[in-house]
Amino acid sequence: MQDDVSQDQFARGVELQRAQRYAEAAEVYRQIAPARLTSNLACNLGVCLGELGDWTGAAHYLGLAARHQPANADFRRRLAAVCAEAGRTDLAEQEYQAARAAKPDDRSAELALAGLYLSLGRYAEGWPLMAARVPLHPEVVPPVQVRFPEWRGEPLEGKSVLVWVEQGFGDQIQMCRFADSLKARGAARVTLGCRPALAHLFSTLAGADAIIPIATGASAAVAPHDYWSRYFSLPEPLGVTLETLPSAPYLAAPADRRERWSDARGIGLAWQASPTGFNAPNKGLPTELAQRLLDRGATSLHPEDTGARDFADTAAIIERLDLVISIDTSVAHLAGAMGKPCWTLIPYIHADWRWLRERTDSPWYPTLKLYRQTKPRDWSETIDQVLRDL
């Protein structure tokens, strides 16, 4: 009878965990643990605690699971992720390598290790491992079916290159800077595929000769090129390091959009994340905290409030502002790409690799100032600091 009760409780915990109700799931697992602490239970409890920002508790339970089944790649990878979040980067690297050794064909540990290396500025080691994203996430890294080869660093003098769309708006804004790098290598023609909302904005890129708007899930006929690549596949063959990273502004408001937004002034605020985006529950500001900034004179930059039709319109608004305050979302990338001062709010849990570690500046965008959340899922102290700085 007790085993039946434990199994029912465990199933309930799994259900809550899948619903991202991590605190409730953790409590259910804790009730079972004293009598029946299995490896799977320890792993699940550790994962939930990690999602709550309790790195010590998460490492304890994931460590128990990993020590009990040292050849379990999933346990080792999850332990590595918690170590990385806690700043124990040497141990994280060790555990990721153990996971890869235990299951060489599992690309999850490879991609996670890429994120660790990139967060440490070890770009030469991180970029090659980013290739794991392609088979892991075909929903955001769509396949490229063309008759010409992928570019892997061959000479580009007089050649044409197609850079195909992948991932989100902010990702494409961040990586489109490398169109100019391809030109500097001698490419005669660079074509960028991008989401339609970015197409007119990307027409201001000095290095782009043509833009192909492509909606999610759609296909397009593309003229032959000498080579193709994807946005996040460019840094490796370009040899991008922290020292060579191009950081000058590279996007601007298209001239035909400026007049419509000529009255924009002051401070713009973006505080809501896409609910389907990476780490959305930890990125966004609660309404009451966003309201504190709005009460100090900030105005919303969300399209439903501005009426912006696409990113070209939002760029025209940002161009007129004195300052942008944004969570880790596409608006921060846009402001940085335009060279506009932007205070960017970085979450405590799952801070993205592109913001590196413990820095308040960004080598990707020199005009950004990073405000890092000081407590898991609590932006109060961070917003207090922003208000003091205002």
Side-chain angles (χ1 to χ4, degrees):
M1 178 66 72
Q2 185 176 358
D3 283 349
D4 290 342
V5 172
S6 295
Q7 289 174 5
D8 289 343
Q9 285 181 295
F10 183 77
R12 175 58 178 161
V14 170
E15 181 182 347
L16 291 167
Q17 183 176 345
R18 286 174 176 167
Q20 299 185 15
R21 294 163 62 179
Y22 298 114
E24 296 171 75
E27 184 56 33
V28 170
Y29 293 144
R30 280 195 177 106
Q31 292 172 7
I32 307 170
R36 192 174 181 83
L37 183 59
T38 64
S39 296
N40 285 336
L41 175 60
C43 177
N44 284 12
L45 178 51
V47 168
C48 288
L49 294 176
E51 293 293 341
L52 297 169
D54 178 1
W55 312 133
T56 301
H60 170 72
Y61 284 103
L62 286 165
L64 290 176
R67 285 193 295 274
H68 190 257
Q69 295 187 33
N72 187 307
D74 185 59
F75 292 170
R76 304 298 289 267
R77 176 175 56 82
R78 293 183 184 277
L79 176 58
V82 167
C83 292
E85 296 267 17
R88 302 168 66 187
T89 55
D90 288 346
L91 184 56
E93 181 179 5
Q94 176 182 317
E95 290 296 330
Y96 279 136
Q97 295 289 19
R100 296 177 70 195
K103 194 175 182 182
D105 60 342
D106 182 2
R107 308 302 292 274
S108 299
E110 186 174 328
L111 185 59
L113 182 59
L116 175 67
Y117 285 150
L118 294 174
S119 77
L120 294 169
R122 293 163 61 177
Y123 282 2
E125 296 164 274
W127 295 130
L129 299 178
M130 284 290 284
R133 77 196 185 284
V134 179
L136 279 176
H137 300 293
E139 72 283 2
V140 293
V141 188
V144 177
Q145 298 175 334
V146 293
R147 294 183 180 277
F148 43 94
E150 182 175 3
W151 182 61
R152 300 187 183 278
E154 295 87 349
L156 289 179
E157 193 68 39
K159 303 295 185 179
S160 57
V161 183
L162 169 70
V163 182
W164 201 237
V165 64
E166 65 166 305
Q167 304 193 59
F169 294 128
D171 301 300
Q172 292 167 61
I173 291 171
Q174 179 186 11
M175 293 294 178
C176 72
R177 74 184 70 208
F178 295 120
D180 203 44
S181 301
L182 295 173
K183 282 287 193 175
R185 289 284 190 98
R189 182 174 179 80
V190 176
T191 302
L192 298 184
C194 69
R195 295 305 179 210
L198 291 168
H200 196 38
L201 171 69
F202 279 14
S203 70
T204 68
L205 269 171
D209 298 292
I211 305 295
I212 301 176
I214 180 77
T216 303
S219 58
V222 177
H225 289 66
D226 292 297
Y227 297 106
W228 70 271
S229 187
R230 295 185 176 91
Y231 284 93
F232 279 83
S233 299
L234 292 173
E236 180 189 357
L238 287 172
V240 174
T241 66
L242 286 179
E243 293 71 32
T244 64
L245 179 63
S247 60
Y250 52 93
L251 289 175
D256 63 346
R257 301 297 181 91
R258 287 173 172 154
E259 182 60 30
R260 182 184 177 194
W261 305 104
S262 59
D263 293 335
R265 293 290 185 277
I267 300 170
L269 174 65
W271 73 92
Q272 297 170 336
S274 167
T276 59
F278 166 73
N279 205 26
N282 295 307
K283 283 184 178 182
L285 284 183
T287 302
E288 63 272 17
L289 291 181
Q291 190 61 50
R292 293 179 64 191
L293 295 169
L294 295 170
D295 290 344
R296 286 287 292 271
T299 57
S300 172
L301 286 174
H302 295 296
E304 60 268 28
D305 297 319
T306 64
R309 296 161 294 184
D310 59 12
F311 280 92
D313 276 344
T314 300
I317 297 170
I318 288 175
E319 186 177 68
R320 296 279 185 168
L321 300 178
D322 300 311
L323 172 68
V324 173
I325 300 174
S326 176
I327 62 170
D328 178 7
T329 192
S330 54
V331 167
H333 289 280
L334 177 55
M338 295 176 65
K340 178 65 63 173
C342 179
W343 295 357
T344 308
L345 311 179
I346 308 300
Y348 185 91
I349 299 174
H350 306 324
D352 198 272
W353 61 261
R354 71 197 80 207
W355 309 121
L356 301 166
R357 291 173 175 267
E358 300 179 358
R359 293 178 63 150
T360 58
D361 67 329
S362 170
W364 289 86
Y365 306 112
T367 58
L368 262 59
K369 180 179 180 181
L370 308 184
Y371 288 78
R372 294 183 182 270
Q373 191 179 33
T374 56
K375 298 177 183 177
R377 302 198 172 193
D378 183 355
W379 286 104
S380 300
E381 289 184 0
T382 312
I383 298 305
D384 285 344
Q385 185 60 55
V386 169
L387 288 167
R388 284 193 295 270
D389 289 352
L390 278 176

